[in-house]
Amino acid sequence: MNNQPQIVIDARMINSSGIGRYLQNILPEMINYFQRIVFLGSPHLLKEKLNNQNLQIIPFDKSIYSISEQLEFSKIIPKCDIFFSPHYNIPLFSIKAKTRIATIHDVFHLAFYKDLSIPQKIYSKIVIDQALKISDHIITVSNFSKNEILKYTKKEYENKISTIYNGVKPIEKDHTTNIHSIDKNPYFLFVGNVKPHKNLVRTIAAFKLLLLDCEKNKQEKPFFIIVGKKEGFITGDNNVIDLIDNDPLLKNHVMFTGWISDNELNILYANALSLVFPSYYEGFGFPPLEALSLGCPAIVSNAACMPEICDNAVLYFDPFNVNDIYDKMKHIIINENFRNNLITNGLEHAKRFSWQISVNKHIKLFEDLLNRK
């Protein structure tokens, strides 16, 4: 019997936000389909996240993007048919894999190259270029991302790039919650991290205009709930904290949830006036589809991949125009029929994005490459 691993997967990012969600949803069925898979990562975390105690795991805890991970890759990756990197941080040196596959979710670091530190510039440029050159195949998550990859690298790589959309996980309705601090209604919801391209500063400025408008017209003021910990924003975008803390009106109407579970997030989606998703650069963007699948209307940036992913199921705004963001938030409040139509369209649209379809396409690609060797 051949005990050589068929596929080796770097799964260290199983607990990160976007890539972690990607891995948690594609790996269980891949484990069932392919008989011999070995993972790199934390044994405890992988078994917990994949709810499987029988995984073959090589412990590997080197930091993503580090020199140490590159030095260790060649030593610890066993001989295999396929090595799969779910991010662009591929092994740069020789490994004992017949075939390499990598997923590049976006090329933010190339699109906003001028904003990076010198080490970030060097690392991202070299490693993304090498990922495209060395890998036998590249998966990406939208046609927007595929076009961006080709825009910032070489057109000759086009034939080795496949677009496979992410999915939305079916939600079990459960309205129990222990988010004791969130008892404010009605509210807009923001879900995302705090990097500047997430565009939260302009969104908070737009929300301030909405509060002033409600005050002027003696209408009920909504709240703005940000999923995450306030302290975490200090290392992300200081302007967000300054804007809120230095303004009494915002301070009373903008709330941070702290850490919450997936179930609690689903409840927040289900009861929000609307999700506001103002990011001006995304390879895919999970929150709008998650919101739509739970009957939460979404007002969304008209930039990057969002028109491709959300189609006509959301209300769009110019992410660089504070007044436009404000107008669309106001539109959601004052036009109940329009909001209800968005909910109906959104529920239907979200059904188009299935993790089952995504997994099937990954499996077919892996099978094709295994059979080619």
Side-chain angles (χ1 to χ4, degrees), residues 4-227:
Q4 175 184 314
Q6 193 176 26
I7 300 169
V8 176
I9 299 174
D10 181 358
R12 284 172 296 156
M13 297 184 77
I14 191 76
N15 206 30
S16 64
S17 52
I19 295 172
R21 204 167 328 175
Y22 168 68
L23 289 173
Q24 288 170 36
N25 283 285
I26 67 166
L27 292 183
E29 288 218 28
M30 291 185 73
I31 293 166
N32 290 334
Y33 187 86
F34 296 104
Q35 296 304 304
R36 304 190 309 276
I37 297 182
V38 171
F39 296 98
L40 307 184
S42 160
H44 172 76
L45 193 59
L46 284 167
K47 289 175 182 179
E48 177 192 331
K49 290 294 180 182
L50 298 175
N51 193 26
N52 188 327
Q53 296 300 309
N54 299 314
L55 304 176
Q56 292 188 58
I57 301 166
I58 298 174
F60 189 46
D61 61 359
K62 301 301 180 186
S63 298
I64 306 294
Y65 313 130
S66 68
I67 293 173
S68 60
E69 77 169 347
Q70 289 299 333
L71 294 175
E72 287 293 318
F73 271 139
S74 296
K75 298 177 187 176
I76 68 161
I77 296 171
K79 189 175 180 181
C80 58
D81 295 304
I82 290 177
F83 181 74
F84 174 44
S85 302
H87 190 34
Y88 69 74
N89 61 318
I90 64 155
L92 295 176
F93 305 117
S94 175
I95 58 172
K96 298 181 285 290
K98 294 178 184 176
T99 300
R100 294 171 176 235
I101 303 173
T103 299
I104 300 179
H105 299 263
D106 63 55
V107 284
F108 173 84
H109 288 89
L110 301 184
F112 293 90
Y113 192 72
K114 61 180 174 48
D115 298 330
L116 304 179
S117 66
I118 290 174
Q120 286 175 323
K121 286 180 178 179
I122 294 169
Y123 182 92
S124 58
K125 182 66 177 166
I126 290 174
V127 179
I128 291 174
D129 281 345
Q130 285 301 301
L132 286 155
K133 182 179 180 180
I134 295 173
S135 299
D136 295 276
H137 207 87
I138 296 290
I139 298 166
T140 194
V141 294
S142 64
N143 290 323
F144 167 78
S145 268
K146 179 175 180 176
N147 292 332
E148 287 284 283
I149 291 168
L150 296 172
K151 176 181 175 181
Y152 292 107
T153 58
K154 294 179 180 177
K155 294 281 192 276
E156 68 191 56
Y157 297 130
E158 182 169 9
N159 291 334
K160 66 159 72 171
I161 304 174
S162 296
T163 298
I164 302 179
Y165 289 132
N166 293 317
V168 179
K169 196 168 186 176
I171 304 298
E172 293 181 11
K173 297 290 185 182
D174 180 357
H175 293 282
T176 61
T177 180
N178 59 13
I179 314 177
H180 300 299
S181 61
I182 305 301
D183 57 356
K184 308 297 184 184
N185 277 293
Y187 61 87
F188 288 93
L189 185 66
F190 174 90
V191 178
N193 62 36
V194 299
K195 295 173 183 175
H197 71 276
K198 297 296 185 178
N199 205 25
L200 191 52
V201 170
R202 288 189 185 90
T203 307
I204 295 296
F207 181 62
K208 171 72 180 292
L209 294 178
L210 184 66
L211 291 176
L212 292 172
D213 183 72
C214 291
E215 203 167 67
K216 176 184 172 184
N217 294 303
K218 294 183 170 52
Q219 295 172 329
E220 180 183 19
K221 296 186 190 76
F223 292 86
F224 194 93
I225 294 179
I226 298 169
V227 173

Side-chain angles (χ1 to χ4, degrees), residues 296-359:
C296 174
I299 53 178
V300 173
S301 159
N302 64 8
C305 72
M306 301 321 301
E308 175 188 349
I309 300 302
C310 296
D311 199 16
N312 63 354
V314 301
L315 180 61
Y316 291 102
F317 56 78
D318 177 352
F320 300 104
N321 186 329
V322 170
N323 286 319
D324 194 26
I325 302 172
Y326 151 71
D327 284 340
K328 299 305 161 53
M329 293 174 84
K330 184 175 179 180
H331 195 67
I332 286 289
I333 288 179
I334 66 176
N335 289 279
E336 189 173 349
N337 286 340
F338 177 81
R339 182 177 176 277
N340 289 335
N341 286 336
L342 275 186
I343 291 172
T344 301
N345 292 341
L347 286 167
E348 198 59 36
H349 179 72
K351 293 175 185 176
R352 293 169 48 189
F353 292 85
S354 155
W355 278 117
Q356 188 61 59
I357 293 171
S358 181
V359 170

